[in-house]
Amino acid sequence: MGDYSMSFEVFEKLESKVQQALDTITLLQMEIEELKEKNDALNQEVQGARESREALVRENEELKQEQSSWQERLRALLGKMEDVQ
């Protein structure tokens, strides 16, 4: 009878440890899910920032070309004015 209650105690302890391990695993899985979601959100932010930067670079290039074109027209105009004088 003593052996039986001892093995039952051991079994109960083991069961309790298994339950704790399962609870810990569940919590860790929830944390992993949360971290995955945060990571996805950050990746989207990074992608958005990259797209904004690319748009700004393109816009900057266009403005530089426009400025260059205006400078050319101004030079041509000044050249014509010099010819008149």
Side-chain angles (χ1 to χ4, degrees):
M1 190 73 183
D3 278 355
Y4 174 75
S5 69
M6 180 119 169
S7 60
F8 186 73
E9 234 176 84
V10 169
F11 178 76
E12 272 193 322
K13 277 184 188 171
L14 184 62
E15 196 176 32
S16 163
K17 282 184 180 176
V18 167
Q19 193 52 55
Q20 279 180 333
L22 287 172
D23 290 347
T24 304
I25 287 168
T26 303
L27 280 173
L28 289 171
Q29 282 174 334
M30 285 163 71
E31 277 182 44
I32 286 169
E33 276 309 305
E34 207 176 303
L35 288 170
K36 275 183 186 171
E37 283 172 20
K38 281 183 185 171
N39 194 31
D40 286 347
L42 286 170
N43 279 332
Q44 282 178 346
E45 273 184 49
V46 166
Q47 185 60 33
R50 190 178 290 137
E51 285 168 8
S52 294
R53 183 185 170 278
E54 284 168 6
L56 285 170
V57 167
R58 275 197 305 273
E59 197 178 335
N60 192 31
E61 280 305 311
E62 285 169 17
L63 287 170
K64 278 182 187 172
Q65 285 173 0
E66 211 174 301
Q67 184 186 18
S68 175
S69 162
W70 277 106
Q71 282 175 335
E72 283 304 310
R73 289 168 76 175
L74 189 58
R75 271 195 211 102
L77 195 60
L78 289 173
K80 283 180 185 171
M81 285 170 76
E82 277 176 18
D83 289 345
V84 171
Q85 291 168 359

